[in-house]
Amino acid sequence: MERTFPICRACGVQYATPRLDCPICTDERQFIGWDGQRWTTLPELRAQGYHGRVEPEGDGVIGLGVDPKVGIGQRALLVRTPGGNVLWDCVGYLDTDIVTAVRALGGIHMIAISHPHFYGTMIEWSRAFGGVPIYLHRADARWVGRPDEAVVFWSGDTRVIGDALTLVNAGVHFAGGTVLHWGGADSGQGALLSGDILQVVMDRRWVSFMYSYPNYIPERPAAVRRAVQLLEPLGFETIYGAFWNAVVRIDGHAAIRRSADRYLRFAADRPTES
């Protein structure tokens, strides 16, 4: 019989044991739902008709999501590279249909996650594909709700995880907030997978930077400056955000620079009126 682990309804993160609250949601960057703390499990979600969504999001990039949405509603990304597939970010759901679909696409060789809101059912995903490693920044280690030997904590500003695949600790949203640079994307033009560390906004020519999205707390200017400085040497044309179709298709590198300039101009209380 499958052992069941509790999943927070508000954020979709799975825990090793039952608990009264979800620490991720009691933090000011998330929230407890207006109906109070609520829990579910994978068997319960499957019985309620939840199912996977697998759709292309770009060249060599496949979106993996859930309908109806679980937690925040992000979608993960399967990055298909010659050296093996990487699952970027995670969702709070998994079933045999998704596993079958991903195996047909070459499976998963490693997992990397941007920040705690997107830890989801990461251990379930790892085990479904043979216990593949899960790369998390050590600065966010205290938020892991289901410890497992598959979790690999890394430290510092960058970590190479494959050919032309580099994790960058941008440090926005969370201290360990991470983005993934894929230098081999788009015939060598490169892509940045940003989760909502750098949030692709409704005007998809831009990104933004927030400490707390649901509570509208802006990120500190120093953190934004540091992130831009770390990303400046990297080449990329495309930026893949956290949600379906939240993609900057062209001019991504310049989009980050001009977005940061705009953000910092307003943060310094010096907006330019049109």
Side-chain angles (χ1 to χ4, degrees), residues 85-101:
N85 294 347
V86 180
L87 179 68
W88 171 248
D89 279 334
C90 196
V91 295
Y93 184 75
L94 186 64
D95 61 25
T96 55
D97 289 342
I98 301 175
V99 173
T100 299

Side-chain angles (χ1 to χ4, degrees), residues 83-262:
N85 294 347
V86 180
L87 179 68
W88 171 248
D89 279 334
C90 196
V91 295
Y93 184 75
L94 186 64
D95 61 25
T96 55
D97 289 342
I98 301 175
V99 173
T100 299
V102 172
R103 283 179 178 160
L105 293 166
I108 294 171
H109 294 78
M110 65 184 77
I111 299 170
I113 301 181
S114 60
H115 71 294
H117 291 162
F118 294 169
Y119 287 173
T121 55
M122 61 182 181
I123 305 304
E124 304 284 350
W125 282 80
S126 170
R127 293 186 177 185
F129 294 93
V132 298
I134 304 168
Y135 290 94
L136 308 177
H137 198 278
R138 186 170 296 279
D140 291 341
R142 71 186 182 95
W143 300 105
V144 175
R146 184 181 170 189
D148 191 88
E149 62 183 11
V151 175
V152 178
F153 291 114
W154 63 280
S155 301
D157 291 343
T158 62
R159 169 72 180 260
V160 175
I161 60 171
D163 185 22
L165 291 164
T166 303
L167 298 173
V168 181
N169 172 224
V172 171
H173 194 30
F174 274 77
T178 295
V179 297
L180 173 63
H181 179 249
W182 179 22
D186 301 330
S187 301
Q189 293 185 90
L192 192 74
L193 287 72
S194 69
D196 63 8
I197 304 305
L198 313 178
Q199 178 81 292
V200 176
V201 296
M202 294 302 290
D203 181 347
R204 292 178 294 183
R205 299 171 299 169
W206 303 81
V207 300
S208 195
F209 316 84
M210 293 289 281
Y211 177 76
S212 173
Y213 288 97
N215 297 312
Y216 304 111
I217 305 173
E219 187 51 271
R220 299 155 298 161
V224 175
R225 292 189 186 98
R226 176 183 174 276
V228 173
Q229 184 178 26
L230 285 171
L231 296 174
E232 183 63 31
L234 304 178
F236 52 91
E237 187 76 4
T238 308
I239 304 172
Y240 292 93
F243 302 95
W244 290 105
N245 300 311
V247 182
V248 178
R249 297 287 179 188
I250 59 172
D251 205 25
H253 193 280
I256 287 180
R257 190 184 307 111
R258 66 172 176 264
S259 296
D261 288 345
R262 179 174 72 173

Side-chain angles (χ1 to χ4, degrees), residues 9-23:
R9 283 272 187 184
C11 70
V13 171
Q14 188 182 60
Y15 287 86
T17 58
R19 54 180 305 129
L20 294 177
D21 63 0
C22 169

